[in-house]
Amino acid sequence: MTGPGTLFGIGLGPGDPELITLKALRLLRGAPVVAAFAKPGRPGQALGIAAPHLLPEQQVLRLEYPFTTEVSLHDPRYARDMGDFYDQAADQVAQCLAEGRDVAVICEGDPFFYGSYMYLHDRLSHRFEAQVVPGITGMSGCWTQANAPITHGDDVLTVIPGTLLEDAMVSHLSRTQAAVFMKVGRNLPRIRTALIQAGLLERAILVERGTMAGAQVMPLAQWPQDRPAPYFTIVLVPGRQGVR
Ligand SMILES: C[S@@+](CC[C@H](N)C(=O)[O-])C[C@H]1O[C@@H](n2cnc3c(N)ncnc32)[C@H](O)[C@@H]1O
């Protein structure tokens, strides 16, 4: 009788298929079960990156969110229903691990950086061996795509979720030299207003689908106000320029 399987949280990088680490590739190919979070009806970003490397004998376990951006983070339903969803997803993964099969949970970017994998890790890492492989983050892919060094000298970099309220964003912006806004999507109008209030709109750069096919880079001030931003969008505020 073999022992329980190992849980792997595997970062696959920001989208460019060549930005996967050798370690991620080795562990991905070796796992009998590959699990990925995805929106129902969508292929899933991590699965898209992994697809060319998967073998027919590997089982793919799709963990489909009950909702993504349709329910606000501030709605009480969000924490309750997402908590239930992660409990069920952890049960499915635990069943494979208990049967002795390793499970590679593949993640866009880095698993421990705003990644859903960490909710499985929280629920399972005390029961099963768990190993995480870091990935190049989306923000790193975006500032590279924009050809924009993000921090110079002693700049402080602040990462701000686009889900924050406007006042909180302005307050963070007032205490940093460089900033990255994650989870931009439908939060773009509030981010733009916060940047205007902080006097930083002219420095802000919008990056859509950084390092992926169809990537776009544009000064935020030129982004049409009525144009929605896609889910994979980051807004960068590079730090002080040319200080040395
Ligand atoms: C749930 S977070 C996951 C972050 C991911 N684990 C990482 O390491 O970057 C999803 C958000 O990351 C940002 N993002 C991640 N990769 C991106 C990319 N390649 N281009 C633009 N935005 C990206 C977007 O703001 C998106 O809404």
Side-chain angles (χ1 to χ4, degrees):
M1 161 103 188
T2 55
T6 298
L7 172 65
F8 294 100
I10 300 193
L12 295 183
D16 178 340
E18 289 190 321
L19 292 178
I20 305 178
T21 64
L22 296 175
K23 187 165 187 172
L25 198 53
R26 175 174 61 79
L27 293 171
L28 172 66
R29 284 183 170 146
V33 182
V34 174
F37 288 97
K39 199 174 173 170
R42 296 278 181 86
Q45 180 62 22
L47 276 170
I49 302 172
H53 306 293
L54 297 181
L55 303 168
E57 60 268 29
Q58 285 179 294
Q59 180 194 341
V60 174
L61 182 60
R62 279 178 67 90
L63 305 169
E64 296 197 342
Y65 296 110
F67 48 79
T68 48
T69 53
E70 310 84 83
V71 177
S72 159
L73 256 183
H74 308 287
D75 184 328
R77 245 189 335 139
Y78 191 98
R80 189 195 58 216
D81 291 1
M82 274 299 182
D84 290 349
F85 163 67
Y86 286 124
D87 286 346
Q88 287 160 21
D91 286 347
Q92 283 179 273
V93 171
Q95 196 179 330
C96 299
L97 295 170
E99 289 165 4
R101 292 185 291 160
D102 292 345
V103 179
V105 181
I106 53 174
C107 317
E108 189 271 334
D110 185 285
F112 276 170
F113 188 65
Y114 297 115
S116 294
Y117 166 76
M118 63 184 107
Y119 302 114
L120 293 180
H121 193 90
D122 290 346
R123 285 164 172 79
L124 297 173
S125 60
H126 59 286
R127 292 170 54 197
F128 299 96
E129 194 185 327
Q131 192 183 327
V132 174
V133 180
I136 297 174
T137 58
M139 63 179 181
S140 185
C142 284
W143 62 61
T144 306
Q145 182 84 52
N147 211 10
I150 194 76
T151 46
H152 296 72
D154 54 3
D155 281 348
V156 171
L157 168 66
T158 302
V159 178
I160 307 175
T163 44
L164 290 194
L165 298 176
E166 198 176 292
D167 284 354
M169 291 181 187
V170 176
S171 160
H172 284 297
L173 288 170
S174 71
R175 284 178 278 116
T176 195
Q177 284 79 48
V180 171
F181 284 92
M182 304 286 296
K183 306 182 184 180
V184 174
R186 61 177 54 191
N187 301 307
L188 182 60
R190 213 167 53 255
I191 294 171
R192 181 197 289 264
T193 310
L195 284 163
I196 291 170
Q197 280 191 41
L200 290 168
L201 182 67
E202 295 308 316
R203 252 168 62 194
I205 303 168
L206 183 145
V207 185
E208 186 187 326
R209 300 180 61 79
T211 82
M212 303 176 196
Q216 281 205 46
V217 178
M218 195 186 279
L220 180 57
Q222 286 173 23
W223 184 267
Q225 291 218 26
D226 53 356
R227 179 166 161 192
Y231 177 75
F232 282 107
T233 302
I234 275 177
V235 171
L236 306 168
V237 182
R240 290 171 295 171
Q241 310 288 307
V243 288
R244 296 229 163 100

